[in-house]
Amino acid sequence: MSTRRVFSGIQPTADSFHLGNYLGAVRQWVALQEDRDAVYCVVNLHALTVPYDPEALRRRTRVAAAQLMAAGIDPERSILFLQSQVPEHAELTWVLSGVTGFGEASRMTQFKDKAAKTGADSASVGLFTYPVLMAADILLYQTDEVPVGEDQRQHLELSRTLAGRFNHRFGKTFVVPDAYILRAVGKITDLQDPVSKMSKTSSSPQGIIDLLDEPGVIRKKIARAVTDAESQVRADEENKPGVTNLLRIYSALASEPMDDIAARYGDSGYGTFKKDLAEIMVDTFAPIRERTMAILADPDGLEKVLANGADRARAIARETMTAVRDHAGLPGAPASG
Ligand code: TYM
């Protein structure tokens, strides 16, 4: 049996990834390199769907790639690349948009939530078709599994639907991808509002921990994380969402079952529990932060790594697009020279 292909992407829309990105996605990306054929992408084209500053986007794209490497993505073993360096993503998006229903796209809850914030009239058409670009990302690489957080599940379903529909209409072209979502870490919540997702767009600075936060900032944010009026460390999603979120984070970072952690801290109050959690987080993030800075200090080296990733990604993407054009009745660009 051939090695299974995984593909995933992350947006460069902030100056750092946050704890939810790390636990919900990036950590799995690193682990999956071991025995999968892994392709990872900084999806800078997705970042064009909201108003943005080109210089900030350029900087954040570099920082995103550096952080992925610092977190453990090995660009020799995995393919790591920037979406804008492989033009087939945009081309396949257009082809897939022809088999996507308007109603189907209208039911995407992330679009509805984001459009509700700005008002549907000022939301861009790109924001609306964003899940089609995401489907193109995944389907171009004949992906078997997509490691993501819970918030991407509906988009993943759409990718599966579009792959199946295209195959049915035009003949087998795409692998139909499966979601790879870990229940325990699929939804890390906001430290100040523990029933809502930790999110770069809607969380307050106190509610979100950035991978690149200084140790002192991490300690403060954990100390101020919302808990409850009891003093017992135990998991109870309904009644103790704040403590349960912290337990989940602790359990993931320390690779220790939640029950064992809860039993150890028990009724001793939240002080020591939070202090210990903050130290585990600082120990995990400090080396990532240092490596990120070191990688960014050599911009030429980073550019070379990404150019190599784009070459390798493009070889796969080209092959898929040739099949797509062939099946869909589209002559490609004539060979030059
Ligand atoms: P993005 O950039 O918002 O987030 C990157 C990854 O982090 C996960 N995530 C979380 N996981 C757990 N708890 C949270 N609070 C949390 N917040 C974010 C996301 O689920 C995601 O896996 N549309 C995607 C990017 C994308 C993509 C793709 C992903 C574009 N093309 C193709 C997979 C395959 C997005 O906006 O993720």
Side-chain angles (χ1 to χ4, degrees):
M1 212 179 82
S2 61
T3 313
R4 282 170 78 73
R5 163 88 36 85
V6 298
F7 177 93
S8 200
I10 189 160
Q11 291 201 69
T13 41
D15 285 317
S16 169
F17 297 153
H18 60 69
L19 177 65
N21 299 137
Y22 179 70
L23 289 181
V26 175
R27 236 170 59 130
Q28 280 67 262
W29 298 13
V30 175
L32 288 166
Q33 299 177 117
E34 296 296 324
D35 59 357
R36 311 285 212 284
D37 176 5
V39 185
Y40 300 127
C41 180
V42 177
V43 293
N44 50 355
L45 299 179
H46 280 93
L48 311 185
T49 58
V50 290
Y52 71 98
D53 168 55
E55 269 323 302
L57 177 61
R58 205 190 302 278
R59 183 184 72 243
R60 289 170 167 180
T61 302
R62 270 197 301 263
V63 176
Q67 276 183 98
L68 289 176
M69 286 163 63
I73 301 299
D74 173 358
E76 304 267 307
R77 245 198 291 176
S78 299
I79 297 180
L80 174 65
F81 74 104
L82 307 180
Q83 193 184 27
S84 63
Q85 294 193 313
V86 179
E88 283 75 11
H89 289 249
E91 187 181 3
L92 181 57
T93 300
W94 184 252
V95 176
L96 291 177
S97 70
V99 296
T100 311
F102 186 83
E104 194 164 50
S106 308
R107 285 192 288 278
M108 293 293 117
T109 54
Q110 268 206 349
F111 172 75
K112 287 199 274 188
D113 291 350
K114 286 189 180 165
K117 271 187 203 142
T118 53
D121 279 350
S122 56
S124 71
V125 172
L127 193 63
F128 184 68
T129 55
Y130 172 120
V132 185
L133 175 58
M134 178 162 161
D137 298 340
I138 296 167
L139 302 186
L140 264 183
Y141 298 92
Q142 306 295 356
T143 303
D144 296 297
E145 288 167 298
V146 187
V148 283
E150 189 59 54
D151 61 343
Q152 299 301 317
R153 190 182 287 280
Q154 194 189 26
H155 292 158
L156 241 298
E157 257 325 297
L158 180 70
S159 302
R160 288 171 55 82
T161 305
L162 298 182
R165 187 175 297 152
F166 192 97
N167 287 346
H168 183 72
R169 282 196 197 161
F170 302 114
K172 176 92 177 78
T173 312
F174 299 118
V175 168
V176 179
D178 289 324
Y180 181 98
I181 300 173
L182 297 190
R183 237 184 131 219
V185 285
K187 186 181 173 189
I188 300 299
T189 60
D190 184 312
L191 299 182
Q192 292 299 316
D193 174 18
V195 293
S196 304
K197 182 183 74 160
M198 183 180 284
S199 145
K200 49 197 156 198
T201 45
S202 46
S203 291
S204 67
Q206 294 308 316
I208 192 168
I209 292 196
D210 280 337
L211 216 57
L212 301 182
D213 272 344
E214 306 258 357
V217 173
I218 293 179
R219 292 190 183 103
K220 236 184 233 155
K221 288 180 180 175
I222 295 290
R224 291 182 188 159
V226 166
T227 49
D228 50 58
E230 291 182 12
S231 59
Q232 200 185 33
V233 177
R234 71 184 158 85
D236 178 345
E237 193 68 70
E238 279 284 285
N239 304 302
K240 297 166 74 71
V243 172
T244 307
N245 189 42
L246 295 180
L247 259 173
R248 252 197 222 111
I249 295 168
Y250 192 134
S251 166
L253 290 175
S255 302
E256 192 185 352
M258 293 222 283
D259 288 348
D260 293 3
I261 301 165
R264 190 164 64 249
Y265 292 98
D267 293 320
S268 66
Y270 300 141
T272 323
F273 168 62
K274 281 178 157 184
K275 256 201 197 111
D276 291 351
L277 170 57
E279 291 318 308
I280 293 170
M281 204 175 289
V282 165
D283 287 348
T284 311
F285 288 1
I288 298 181
R289 197 166 148 261
E290 279 159 28
R291 282 197 294 268
T292 303
M293 300 310 158
I295 294 165
L296 289 171
D298 175 17
D300 292 347
L302 179 58
E303 203 172 303
K304 267 194 206 118
V305 165
L306 294 173
N308 177 264
D311 275 349
R312 290 157 67 202
R314 201 155 185 212
I316 306 170
R318 275 209 179 107
E319 205 176 306
T320 301
M321 265 327 285
T322 300
V324 169
R325 285 193 215 97
D326 186 30
H327 296 174
L330 298 166
S336 55

